[in-house]
Amino acid sequence: MSTHHQASSGCGGCGCHASHAPAHTEPHHDHGHDEHGHDHGHDHGTGGWLSQSRLIVLTGAALLLAYGASWQWPALHHWIFWPVIAVCILPIARHALAGLRRGQVFSIETLMLVATIGAVLIGASEEAAAVIFLFQIGEALEGLASRRAQAGIRALAALLPSEARCEAPDGSLILRSADQVHIGDVVQVRAGDRIPVDGEVISGESTINEAALTGESQPRHKSTGDAVFAGTIALDGTLRLRVTQDSGQTTLARIVAVVQQAQRQKAPVARFTERFARLYTPLVVAGAAVVALTPPLLFDGDWQTWIYRGLAVLLIGCPCALVISTPAAIASGLSVGARHGLLMKGGAVLEALGQVTTVAFDKTGTLTNGTPRVSDLLCLRDSRAEALALAAGMAQEASHPVALAIAAAVQEQEVSAVPVTDSRTLGGKGMLARWQDQEVFLGGVAAAQDHWPGLVVPPQAEQFRQQGKSVSLLVCAGAVWAVFAAEDSLRPDAKEGVAALARRGISMMMLTGDHQAAAERVGSALGISVHADLLPTDKMHLIEQRQAAGERVAKVGDGINDAPGLAAAHVGIAMGAATDVALETADAASLHGRVGDIAAMISLSRQTLRTIYQNVALALGLKGVFLVLTVAGVTGLWPAVLADTGATVLVTANALRLLRLRL
């Protein structure tokens, strides 16, 4: 990874204020070749996609014009499609020749060339032009698989601030490039800054939003001795940090490197027809040669008769139907998915989804809504309205997610907030204020007990905490007035979505950076296994362990912290309003953010694969019947042409049936 920062003057020590100028990462991706070295010729850049789209549109228009002209001038019917064929066949021929140079004699491009040349030789130029046009569309759809992968990497790297506020030996602060900060330097981070380094707090307190790394919905309080990570955000306090990792070795920098490596190593899924073509095409050619040569050479057969029959066998074996069986089905499957808000980046992803055996879910924002809400309210004050009004007055002065949840819960009670004075934040622990000359506190249990030693906390507070909920106390003049328990609630469709996957025989697990109690609460409600307190690389390693055991894993998430897992899994799926990084790293996306969409994607993939296998069976079965009839002398060239054309029509019609699917 090469990261470029704005240069600044150097100094000895280092304290950092995060600047949000993006770091630029230029990873190397080799998506143009499959595991066999096959060059699909896809240009994954936006410009390449637009050029390919324009070529398809122009070719389609030319094909329509050719149809019109052939009706107007029937005598030119055979020749009028040649310009369309010539334009479409050039890139395919180029890739076929490249495959031949690598020793791939029977690639899918070679199949296409054989189909086109065979159709032209028998005067079926119209069919040749139509088939090659459909083939181009299928190739273009598959070429979308990773064209924006580099954009996802750049979005990840942009979370690494480019500058840092550094402490010089004389105590002054100097702004320096983050890549000039080294282990042992001292940096300063102010409230609202994104932390530029991995380090250890040596003074100060602050609430840190670590969602970019852990995905945890609740910010964490950090004080002296605690570790902090580059890319996270200090919300409400100033920190002095001692740097523990150089800029290229921070946790977030390692995530960027992991995503790059996983994307390079994840080979695209081989297409069924391409695998089958390695055997099919040479068998057809060999079979035609045997039919044409064996009877005249060994049994004194008539050369003209058997060469004619050999040519008929070659025409029967013309792989037009076989070539379009996969792209036609894939195009239909992708269209159906898009209509239902299920976006899949190409045919390889659509195929891989049908082979998934395990789904690994993120928790926050994927199985849950991602924002805390007050689930339990215990009022210990005789005047409930007075206690709630005071809680509302305190909460409206804070920006912490739990405080906002308390404010929303009180608002639902239709209680008006009372004004408080002298409010101040206690660095992630809570806040203090004054009301009617009394000291008031709203915040965590430990902070309340530190401020009022001997404070009597109701036992329900500990019960809420053991249930994985975030507990806050409202304390006035040394007495607890109210207890609030907040939790991140399940998505409305989470249970049904998990049940739908179970009905399809899919095993599930939850990978989360949240603490064990909160994770267990969600996992037990859904009936899935739980792995908690994980960093992004921990999630990736668990996925790799399952893959090493032979499972096909799909990872579902919505955050930056999910990017390594999304990249490493066989299929990465981004949920709903996912971060740009998650969307770019993922292979597929559920735009509606429904857990049930995962089961729908898998069902769509399996149905598409069944359609492809049906198409192959139709094409081969029909050709097999006419092959026997031709060798027996019952049929000739024209029935052979009809067999090929009929098979093409059948497989196309079968693929179009997918468009009627209701997911």
Side-chain angles (χ1 to χ4, degrees), residues 357-402:
T357 59
T358 299
V359 173
F361 285 102
D362 177 43
K363 180 181 80 71
T364 305
T366 300
L367 294 173
T368 67
N369 289 312
T371 54
R373 65 172 186 84
V374 172
S375 59
D376 302 275
L377 168 57
L378 175 65
C379 189
L380 304 176
R381 179 74 172 168
D382 291 338
S383 174
R384 177 185 177 89
E386 184 180 41
L388 293 179
L390 182 55
M394 294 287 286
Q396 70 182 11
E397 297 291 323
S399 59
H400 193 282
V402 173

Side-chain angles (χ1 to χ4, degrees), residues 247-621:
S247 62
Q249 296 299 316
T250 64
T251 301
L252 190 55
R254 290 198 298 271
I255 290 174
V256 173
V258 164
V259 173
Q260 290 176 337
Q261 182 180 10
Q263 288 182 331
R264 284 197 298 267
Q265 291 178 346
K266 190 166 77 173
V269 180
R271 289 166 293 186
F272 176 80
T273 50
E274 187 167 358
R275 297 195 298 267
F276 187 79
R278 299 193 194 106
L279 178 64
Y280 175 80
T281 302
L283 282 179
V284 167
V285 174
V290 168
V291 169
L293 300 177
T294 302
L297 290 175
L298 299 182
F299 304 105
D300 198 27
D302 179 69
W303 279 96
Q304 183 174 357
T305 299
W306 287 103
I307 289 176
Y308 179 88
R309 292 181 184 179
L311 179 58
V313 169
L314 187 60
L315 292 175
I316 289 171
C318 183
C320 296
L322 200 60
V323 166
I324 69 168
S325 61
T326 296
I330 285 174
S332 297
L334 294 177
S335 297
V336 170
R339 192 170 69 233
H340 290 82
L342 312 176
L343 300 186
M344 289 155 280
K345 299 179 180 178
V349 176
L350 190 59
E351 182 179 349
L353 277 163
Q355 301 167 351
V356 166
T357 59
T358 299
V359 173
F361 285 102
D362 177 43
K363 180 181 80 71
T364 305
T366 300
L367 294 173
T368 67
N369 289 312
T371 54
R373 65 172 186 84
V374 172
S375 59
D376 302 275
L377 168 57
L378 175 65
C379 189
L380 304 176
R381 179 74 172 168
D382 291 338
S383 174
R384 177 185 177 89
E386 184 180 41
L388 293 179
L390 182 55
M394 294 287 286
Q396 70 182 11
E397 297 291 323
S399 59
H400 193 282
V402 173
L404 297 177
I406 291 173
V410 173
Q411 186 176 11
E412 291 176 0
Q413 303 288 327
E414 298 183 352
V415 175
S416 300
V418 299
V420 296
T421 59
D422 300 331
S423 62
R424 65 184 189 277
T425 301
L426 300 180
K429 299 177 181 179
M431 63 177 300
L432 283 169
R434 297 199 68 80
W435 174 71
Q436 295 184 354
D437 293 329
Q438 300 180 88
E439 193 173 43
V440 185
F441 171 83
L442 179 65
V445 176
Q449 291 176 323
D450 287 343
H451 194 73
W452 284 285
L455 178 70
V456 178
V457 179
Q460 292 92 332
E462 177 60 21
Q463 294 173 7
F464 294 148
R465 191 193 67 80
Q466 291 179 355
Q467 293 170 6
K469 301 175 182 179
S470 179
V471 179
S472 299
L473 303 179
L474 174 66
V475 183
C476 183
V480 177
W481 279 24
V483 179
F484 298 90
E487 65 178 357
D488 188 7
S489 59
L490 285 175
R491 284 181 179 268
D493 73 321
K495 290 185 178 180
E496 175 54 33
V498 167
L501 285 169
R503 289 194 296 270
R504 288 160 176 78
I506 306 295
S507 63
M508 288 158 281
M509 60 180 177
M510 184 172 70
L511 310 179
T512 178
D514 219 340
H515 56 89
Q516 189 70 33
E520 289 288 354
R521 178 179 58 81
V522 174
S524 61
L526 297 175
I528 61 177
S529 62
V530 170
H531 302 270
D533 295 310
L534 302 177
L535 288 173
T537 50
D538 298 329
K539 298 180 183 181
M540 185 193 71
H541 291 150
L542 282 170
I543 289 171
E544 289 175 340
Q545 288 175 13
R546 292 295 184 96
Q547 290 173 325
E551 298 183 33
R552 305 285 298 183
V553 181
K555 173 69 173 70
V556 185
D558 72 323
I560 295 163
N561 58 295
D562 297 307
L566 291 171
H570 289 106
V571 183
I573 305 172
M575 286 284 285
T579 63
D580 289 342
V581 172
L583 286 171
E584 300 301 345
T585 307
D587 302 298
S590 165
L591 298 187
H592 300 306
R594 294 187 291 251
V595 179
D597 285 347
I598 311 306
M601 283 186 184
I602 291 174
S603 294
L604 175 60
S605 172
R606 290 177 176 177
Q607 181 61 48
T608 302
L609 289 176
R610 281 196 293 270
T611 300
I612 292 172
Y613 300 147
Q614 290 167 3
N615 282 349
V616 172
L618 279 171
L620 295 181

Side-chain angles (χ1 to χ4, degrees), residues 134-220:
L134 289 174
F135 179 80
Q136 261 198 345
I137 294 175
E139 287 288 282
L141 289 172
E142 293 199 43
L144 289 173
S146 59
R147 65 186 178 91
R148 297 188 65 189
Q150 291 190 7
I153 297 294
R154 286 194 293 270
L156 265 178
L159 294 177
L160 292 168
S162 62
E163 293 180 322
R165 192 175 296 276
C166 312
E167 286 190 6
D170 60 2
S172 62
L173 296 177
I174 299 177
L175 198 63
R176 297 181 58 195
S177 174
D179 59 2
Q180 296 176 1
V181 180
H182 303 292
I183 296 175
D185 291 343
V186 176
V187 304
Q188 186 184 102
V189 179
R190 300 179 300 190
D193 287 350
R194 190 179 292 275
I195 298 173
V197 295
D198 280 8
E200 178 183 341
V201 179
I202 56 177
S203 67
E205 294 180 310
S206 180
T207 302
I208 304 294
N209 181 351
E210 295 185 336
L213 291 181
T214 67
E216 185 177 353
S217 57
Q218 302 295 332
R220 291 186 174 180

Side-chain angles (χ1 to χ4, degrees), residues 32-55:
H33 297 76
D34 66 14
E35 65 270 34
H36 307 292
H38 182 68
D39 182 5
H40 300 304
H42 298 134
D43 183 342
H44 304 302
T46 302
W49 165 245
L50 290 176
S51 298
Q52 194 172 24
S53 300
R54 283 194 294 267
L55 177 61

Side-chain angles (χ1 to χ4, degrees), residues 18-74:
S19 169
H20 299 285
H24 302 289
T25 303
E26 300 297 339
H28 170 69
H29 293 282
D30 187 14
H31 295 293
H33 297 76
D34 66 14
E35 65 270 34
H36 307 292
H38 182 68
D39 182 5
H40 300 304
H42 298 134
D43 183 342
H44 304 302
T46 302
W49 165 245
L50 290 176
S51 298
Q52 194 172 24
S53 300
R54 283 194 294 267
L55 177 61
I56 290 173
V57 171
L58 291 174
T59 305
L63 187 59
L64 291 175
L65 288 174
Y67 274 116
S70 68
W71 292 332
Q72 183 68 29
W73 299 290

